[in-house]
Amino acid sequence: KKELINMNFVSAVFYIKDGTELFISSEEGVYNNKTLDMIFTKNVQGEYNGDKLFSQRAEYSNSKNYFIISDEISVESKKGKLLADKLVFDLKEKTLDISSYENKKVNAQIDLK
C-alpha cells in the first residue's frame, strides 16, 4: 500500500496537550501517512517525564485514540517497576489496562507514597 512507509532506526516525539513530550524509538517501524498511525517494533524504548519503557512492540492509533505496548514490557519509574505483557492506553478516556498472557501475573513494585 502506498500510504504505508517502512522505516528503520525510528525516533518519534509525541507532543501531549499538557505540554509534555513522549519520546519513542525502535529499530523498525511502519508509518501510515493517511491515518497517521504508527507501529514500532524491535527494541522499542520510550521516555515520558523521566519514566522509561522498554518493549518489542508499540502501536499508536491516531484514528482510534489508543496506544498499545506489548511483548516483553519493562517500565522503570520514579514510583517503581513494572513487568507485563500488554499495556493499553485509551487516549480518549485517559485509562490504562495492564494485562498478561496465559494467566501469568503482572509483576509490579510500586511506591504509593
Side-chain angles (χ1 to χ4, degrees), residues 11-29:
S11 292
V13 180
F14 292 86
Y15 298 96
I16 313 301
K17 288 181 183 180
D18 67 2
T20 58
E21 298 173 342
L22 168 63
F23 300 92
I24 301 279
S25 65
S26 65
E27 289 182 23
E28 296 179 358

Side-chain angles (χ1 to χ4, degrees), residues 52-55 69-77 80-87 98-101 104-110:
K52 298 186 185 224
L53 176 136
F54 306 92
S55 74
I69 312 295
S70 59
D71 300 336
E72 301 175 25
I73 298 169
S74 171
V75 177
E76 297 173 6
S77 168
K81 296 180 181 182
L82 172 74
L83 300 174
D85 290 319
K86 189 174 184 181
L87 303 176
I98 304 170
S99 60
S100 66
Y101 302 129
K104 292 182 183 177
K105 294 182 180 179
V106 173
N107 185 353
Q109 298 174 343
I110 300 172

Side-chain angles (χ1 to χ4, degrees), residues 2-3 7 10 17 37 47 50 56 68 76 85 111:
K2 62 183 177 181
E3 69 268 11
M7 303 177 291
V10 181
K17 288 181 183 180
D37 296 347
E47 184 175 336
Q56 294 303 311
I68 297 175
E76 297 173 6
D85 290 319
D111 182 2

Side-chain angles (χ1 to χ4, degrees), residues 42-105:
K42 292 188 180 175
N43 296 317
V44 177
Q45 296 183 25
E47 184 175 336
Y48 180 74
N49 280 345
D51 297 340
K52 298 186 185 224
L53 176 136
F54 306 92
S55 74
Q56 294 303 311
R57 182 177 174 86
E59 179 181 346
Y60 167 71
S61 175
N62 182 62
S63 58
K64 297 179 183 172
N65 282 315
Y66 68 74
F67 215 123
I68 297 175
I69 312 295
S70 59
D71 300 336
E72 301 175 25
I73 298 169
S74 171
V75 177
E76 297 173 6
S77 168
K78 295 168 248 165
K79 293 188 174 190
K81 296 180 181 182
L82 172 74
L83 300 174
D85 290 319
K86 189 174 184 181
L87 303 176
V88 179
F89 296 91
D90 184 321
L91 302 174
K92 185 176 181 179
E93 299 296 323
K94 297 181 181 177
T95 60
L96 169 63
D97 290 327
I98 304 170
S99 60
S100 66
Y101 302 129
E102 300 177 17
N103 297 323
K104 292 182 183 177
K105 294 182 180 179

